[in-house]
Amino acid sequence: MSSFVARVLYVLAGLLGRLPWSWQRRLGDAIAALWLRRDARESRVVRVNLELAYPGLPPAERAQWQRAIMRTTARQAVETLRLWTRPHAENLRLLREQHGTDLFDAAVASGKGLIVAAPHYGNWELLNQWLASRTPLAILYRPPESAIGEAFLNLVRADTDAERVTQVRAEGAAVRQLWKRLNAGGVVGILPDQQPKAGDGEFAPFFGVPALTMTLLGRLAERTGATVLFAYCERIGTDADPLGFALRIEAAPDGIAAPDPQRACVALNAAVERIARRDPAQYQWTYKRYTLRPSGDGNDNPYRSR
């Protein structure tokens, strides 16, 4: 049953994904307007995150940022349907610019292993497709809570290069699989700004607020000697232009592979924050990044009752 429902959803996604981009953009803007008017969960989470990350921002300007973030978030949801349901080779033509690919090629050629840290900025699904077009890799992901969602993801991420991508569930055996691949000189992709489970991370500043941060990336880098690069596909152009992206690959900051997990987490968050500040509207502010607090009792969860 889950497979059947997933296929129905895939057909619907394909229909939406084949609309002209101008129509898709208007659809995204309509969804964003609805979220704002109804003060939906996404809108509330964005508001809380902006209050935490930009406390000095005047209320009127913060509201303006919130509207821009909601619009970009909704457009991204629609554009991702397009990326999921069209051939990957066609999608990659949306990359109008590519920067830092020499760093990527050199890291792969070194045979020391490569960790690609891909923050929730721009469109990470397009980044996954570019990575798969260049090299076999393993991608660590958090599986959806529903069987239908899992089946749908398996459908939309299938393509001619699907056999080059090993999707590793963020569960107990994940570390062993990633470790083995890196020690063999392979490539691993990790979304570094997801909140880990309590006890699986360290608190480090993120936009000046303590955020529970994964230690996995730093541990893998320190113990395998793998290179760490940050990568993202950033939207470029104006509303009058066709949909387009710039691929950017950058060296990780010093300290990302420090033996001290606290120092490694500080370096990790600093790198993600720097990328997010390039264009705050393109960062995933709808994610509850600060749910777990240093106190550990959950009473100061900023999203409670939001």
Side-chain angles (χ1 to χ4, degrees), residues 9-306:
L9 292 175
Y10 181 81
V11 171
L12 294 175
L15 293 174
L16 286 174
R18 280 163 176 74
L19 293 173
W21 171 235
S22 60
W23 292 22
Q24 293 177 344
R25 188 168 56 230
R26 292 191 193 101
L27 175 60
D29 292 351
I31 293 171
L34 182 63
W35 281 341
L36 287 164
R37 185 166 61 250
R38 297 198 170 186
D39 199 25
R41 171 208 170 274
E42 292 82 0
S43 181
R44 296 194 303 272
V45 172
V46 168
R47 185 168 58 249
V48 172
N49 280 334
L50 289 179
E51 290 170 354
L52 291 168
Y54 294 92
L57 207 62
E61 190 172 352
R62 187 181 297 128
Q64 183 179 358
W65 281 33
Q66 182 183 7
R67 289 192 294 270
I69 290 168
M70 298 311 299
R71 184 169 59 249
T72 303
T73 300
R75 287 183 180 185
Q76 181 194 13
V78 177
E79 81 189 18
T80 297
L81 296 179
R82 175 193 185 108
L83 296 172
W84 275 342
T85 56
R86 293 193 180 192
H88 293 185
E90 177 183 333
N91 294 335
L92 293 178
R93 290 197 287 272
L94 296 172
L95 292 172
R96 316 295 186 200
E97 303 174 11
Q98 297 189 29
H99 306 274
T101 56
D102 55 329
L103 295 175
F104 179 86
D105 292 339
V108 172
S110 73
K112 297 192 305 180
L114 169 62
I115 300 172
V116 178
H120 288 85
Y121 178 87
N123 197 299
W124 46 94
E125 291 294 339
L126 182 57
L127 174 63
N128 287 344
Q129 292 178 15
W130 182 86
L131 291 171
S133 74
R134 300 290 288 246
T135 182
L137 75 157
I139 295 177
L140 183 70
Y141 79 106
R142 183 173 297 172
E145 295 181 358
S146 72
I148 294 174
E150 179 84 353
F152 179 73
L153 280 182
N154 288 334
L155 277 175
V156 299
R157 287 176 173 165
D159 199 275
T160 54
D161 56 16
E163 63 184 19
R164 295 162 63 84
V165 180
T166 302
Q167 298 194 56
V168 179
R169 296 167 67 98
E171 297 173 344
V175 176
R176 193 179 310 113
Q177 293 183 60
L178 300 181
W179 181 290
K180 182 177 180 180
R181 182 172 287 261
L182 290 172
N183 277 328
V187 180
V188 165
I190 296 178
L191 296 167
D193 48 353
Q194 289 185 325
Q195 181 176 253
K197 296 179 181 178
D200 289 345
E202 294 278 345
F203 281 97
F206 185 59
F207 284 86
V209 181
L212 189 61
T213 304
M214 67 163 59
T215 56
L216 173 62
L217 190 152
R219 291 203 319 269
L220 287 172
E222 191 264 327
R223 296 177 186 177
T224 66
T227 301
V228 181
L229 297 175
F230 280 78
Y232 51 99
C233 287
E234 183 177 53
R235 292 177 200 83
I236 56 175
T238 67
D239 284 355
D241 298 320
L243 179 63
F245 297 86
L247 170 73
R248 301 188 187 278
I249 300 175
E250 302 166 354
D254 293 339
I256 199 77
D260 177 7
Q262 176 68 27
R263 183 185 171 203
C265 287
V266 168
L268 177 61
N269 280 356
V272 175
E273 180 177 330
R274 183 188 57 77
I275 293 170
R277 286 184 182 275
R278 288 179 57 88
D279 181 0
Q282 294 198 43
Y283 189 66
Q284 192 188 31
W285 292 108
T286 55
Y287 181 63
K288 294 182 177 181
R289 185 67 178 86
Y290 304 106
T291 301
L292 298 175
R293 311 308 305 134
S295 66
D297 59 14
N299 290 330
D300 49 359
N301 178 351
Y303 310 102
R304 190 176 298 279
S305 302
R306 298 289 186 119

